[in-house]
Amino acid sequence: MTPELDPVIHAQARLRVVATLNTLAEGDQITFPGLKDLLGMTAGNLSVHLSKLEEAGYVEIVKTHKGRTPVTYVALTRRGRAAFEGYTAAIRELLDTARAPASEDT
Amino acid sequence: MDNDEQALSPEEMLRLIEQQETATVSRLAPNPVPHYLAWGVAWFVGFGAFFLRDGLSGTPYLAIPLGVTLALLFGLMALAMVVSAMTMWQLGSPVRGASQQRGTMYGFSWAFGFLAMWMIGVRFGPSLPIPEQGLLWSSLSMMVVAVLYMAGGAVWLVRPMFVLGAGVAVLNAVGTAAGPGWHALLMSVGAGGGSIIAGFVLRRRMRR
């Protein structure tokens, strides 16, 4: 059997976004420009991917103000963290089955 | 855009995850090495001066006034504290939240810990003979340090930090029992040297 790969995460750009957010400690948030710099993406491009991740409930976007300047913070939701864990587990499983094609167990 | 939506082979996706994780951690994690080196030097030099002043058997190897040794030790420790604060504060970090709060509370624990220590020293120091006064101050300050290092190791799950704290706690107890000269020697070599070693261990770990 082949494990299902989450289509929301199974795309280069969004995988990188989720992997980056997953390294933050639980309860931490990163500013939008900070995330953009870490990923080397354009703001427009990152926004598109973030809104897809937000639609899936994987990412939480918080808009606040620091003085008068608006600041946007991004964080992985608990669901997003679980999805990323599931995705890496599935990928590892795929690789293991690919490496041992004549499996001894079923 | 199209490229972004593409998926690569499982191997490459896994590699992408690993690359992104290491890149993020190395950009966001503070470099702890200057902190450990600054404290290591402060203790090595500061307690080294105490050791020369007190001598193992009570006869000084070098006649340094108590005020000078105290100023040297606490001055260097204050400098090291500035280095630590700069390491932990992470000015301009794009991350906020739980880890920031953790760092702030930990920073305040140092301030309150040393406030308590200072008051105990001020209150009880004058009633002790001079060599014991020096020992009171140095053993109290190293007790605060040991406890907070162990706590820091527990908070951030950094084993070398915890081990250093536990080691300092034990050496501090042994040295206090043995007397001023031994205490200064153990702190200079053990705590000072230990902190410098911990700095190098953590640097090697970060490079990996």
Side-chain angles (χ1 to χ4, degrees), chain B:
Chain B
M1 221 39 227
D2 311 313
N3 212 16
D4 283 0
E5 287 294 339
Q6 255 172 32
L8 305 164
S9 71
E11 283 98 339
E12 284 167 313
M13 287 305 247
L14 199 59
R15 189 144 26 94
L16 200 63
I17 292 171
E18 279 159 6
Q19 276 170 0
Q20 194 60 43
E21 278 171 352
T22 38
T24 308
V25 169
S26 73
R27 288 267 296 274
L28 290 182
N31 177 7
V33 178
H35 157 89
Y36 284 96
L37 292 185
W39 283 97
V41 169
W43 292 328
F44 189 75
V45 175
F47 283 115
F50 262 98
F51 169 66
L52 294 175
R53 186 197 130 79
D54 292 327
L56 284 186
S57 53
T59 16
Y61 304 120
L62 210 68
I64 313 169
L66 177 63
V68 174
T69 43
L70 276 176
L72 194 62
L73 177 63
F74 282 93
L76 284 170
M77 278 172 61
L79 271 181
M81 237 175 266
V82 173
V83 174
S84 310
M86 279 173 9
T87 306
M88 312 227 166
W89 245 329
Q90 285 266 283
L91 283 175
S93 165
V95 179
R96 72 158 188 187
S99 61
Q100 206 181 28
Q101 289 174 28
R102 204 169 280 151
T104 309
M105 286 187 211
Y106 186 69
F108 275 113
S109 326
W110 280 87
F112 286 116
F114 274 100
L115 174 74
M117 174 214 77
W118 178 74
M119 205 56 238
I120 295 172
V122 165
R123 170 83 200 195
F124 296 105
S127 56
L128 292 172
I130 292 280
E132 299 284 299
Q133 267 187 46
L135 182 58
L136 176 72
W137 282 102
S138 44
S139 60
L140 275 177
S141 67
M142 293 314 278
M143 181 186 75
V144 174
V145 166
V147 168
L148 285 173
Y149 267 66
M150 288 188 280
V155 169
W156 286 285
L157 286 181
V158 184
R159 196 179 285 261
M161 193 180 193
F162 178 84
V163 170
L164 180 61
V168 170
V170 171
L171 290 180
N172 193 35
V174 172
T176 306
W182 280 103
H183 183 265
L185 178 64
L186 288 176
M187 289 302 109
S188 175
V189 176
S195 183
I196 291 169
I197 291 169
F200 284 119
V201 168
L202 287 168
R203 184 167 77 164
R204 220 185 27 199
R205 186 182 284 188
M206 274 180 70
R207 288 220 175 127
R208 231 183 293 152

Side-chain angles (χ1 to χ4, degrees), chain A residues 47-103:
Chain A
S47 297
V48 171
H49 290 298
L50 281 179
S51 47
K52 277 188 189 159
L53 288 166
E54 196 184 21
E55 264 168 46
Y58 289 179
V59 149
E60 181 190 24
I61 296 168
V62 183
K63 290 182 197 257
T64 53
H65 288 266
K66 212 176 208 169
R68 283 200 183 158
T69 20
V71 196
T72 305
Y73 285 97
V74 186
L76 218 52
T77 59
R78 194 164 284 183
R79 199 166 152 199
R81 235 169 242 277
F84 179 69
E85 265 163 40
Y87 179 83
T88 39
I91 281 265
R92 290 226 158 84
E93 201 176 311
L94 265 180
L95 284 175
D96 287 347
T97 42
R99 266 180 211 138
S103 59

